[in-house]
Amino acid sequence: MIVIGLTGGIGSGKSTVSNSFVDRGAILIDADQIVKELQQPGAFVHSEMVKQFGQGILNDDETLDRQAVAEIVFSDKDRLRQLNEIVHPPVNREIRSRIREQTDTDNLLVLDIPLLVEGILAGGPPRYIVSGILVVDAPSELAVQRLVEHRGFAEEDARARINAQVSRERRIELADFVIDNSVRLDELESQVALAFDWAKTLPDTDPTPEPPDENY
């Protein structure tokens, strides 16, 4: 198996790229989707978040009010750290478990982690969990436009979210392959085709063992 890390800033259009990889036969492991699964009512992460942040983060049906959570942690580093300590270890274990399930295959796995670069810069995960890093890049103004028009963000909130992330330049520095997602869809598909061919030439990825209870 070959595992590549797919990342990019908010509003860069990673989903479009990951979907194109899946259409070509790749297997997607989506960190955000795993987070959502582990945050469902009755799950450990859900209950621990309620203990830490209170009933105010819940909707009437007991599901998480993600906007309420964001408002608590977005501008408070200590609260964000508390959230990460709850969420990251079980997500990390689930990601690695899903990778190990593919160990004896010839499949290409796309590991979509929005904060992959931030995690590497913070001291983990080491690059050896993937054979290459693919970054989807888009200018900040275009990302703001997409967040406002397609995801309902207020412009001020969109800019704040982008500014809170690692810079585009730093993300690109750590990339092995960069896709420019500021182009027309047909031009994007041409880049995805090249990226897919690149990914298939990478060396096999060794599965990592079950990690201890620690952050990414």
Side-chain angles (χ1 to χ4, degrees), residues 115-137:
L115 300 182
L116 177 63
V117 169
E118 285 86 342
I120 291 172
L121 294 175
R127 287 184 63 121
Y128 67 73
I129 71 167
V130 296
S131 293
I133 295 177
L134 172 62
V135 168
V136 182
D137 181 60

Side-chain angles (χ1 to χ4, degrees), residues 9-199:
I10 186 171
S12 62
K14 295 187 306 302
S15 295
T16 301
V17 172
S18 64
N19 288 339
S20 291
F21 264 79
V22 170
D23 288 344
R24 289 172 166 81
I27 294 175
L28 176 63
I29 300 177
D30 187 336
D32 277 350
Q33 183 57 41
I34 291 174
V35 170
K36 291 177 181 177
E37 292 172 9
L38 297 180
Q39 289 178 337
Q40 291 301 308
F44 172 78
V45 171
H46 181 278
S47 61
E48 289 300 304
M49 287 180 63
V50 174
K51 288 180 185 177
Q52 184 66 248
F53 302 111
Q55 294 288 327
I57 65 170
L58 298 180
N59 296 310
D60 291 340
D61 62 358
E62 300 296 315
T63 60
L64 287 178
D65 182 339
R66 300 185 187 281
Q67 183 59 37
V69 176
E71 289 173 358
I72 291 172
V73 306
F74 183 65
S75 59
D76 188 327
K77 291 184 178 180
D78 288 336
R79 300 296 266 171
L80 178 59
R81 175 185 53 78
Q82 292 167 350
L83 176 63
N84 289 340
E85 288 174 352
I86 294 170
V87 174
H88 283 182
V91 172
N92 187 16
R93 287 193 294 271
E94 181 63 23
I95 285 173
R96 295 185 189 224
S97 174
R98 295 188 187 189
I99 290 174
R100 287 195 298 274
E101 290 174 355
Q102 301 294 325
T103 299
D104 296 326
T105 73
D106 294 325
N107 292 329
L108 172 62
L109 278 60
V110 177
L111 177 53
D112 184 344
I113 300 183
L115 300 182
L116 177 63
V117 169
E118 285 86 342
I120 291 172
L121 294 175
R127 287 184 63 121
Y128 67 73
I129 71 167
V130 296
S131 293
I133 295 177
L134 172 62
V135 168
V136 182
D137 181 60
S140 298
E141 289 303 313
L142 179 57
V144 169
Q145 179 182 342
R146 287 171 175 166
L147 292 173
V148 171
E149 293 182 358
H150 303 301
R151 294 176 58 178
F153 279 69
E155 182 175 336
E156 181 179 356
D157 187 21
R159 294 187 185 280
R161 299 291 183 99
I162 291 171
N163 291 335
Q165 293 185 329
V166 70
S167 69
R168 291 173 62 202
E169 292 76 16
R170 193 71 182 97
R171 196 179 288 115
I172 289 172
E173 284 177 11
L174 290 176
D176 298 307
F177 198 106
V178 179
I179 288 179
D180 174 12
N181 195 10
S182 64
V183 297
R184 299 192 316 267
L185 185 58
D186 60 332
E187 295 174 309
L188 176 64
E189 281 299 317
S190 296
Q191 293 183 73
V192 172
L194 291 173
F196 187 85
D197 290 343
W198 157 78

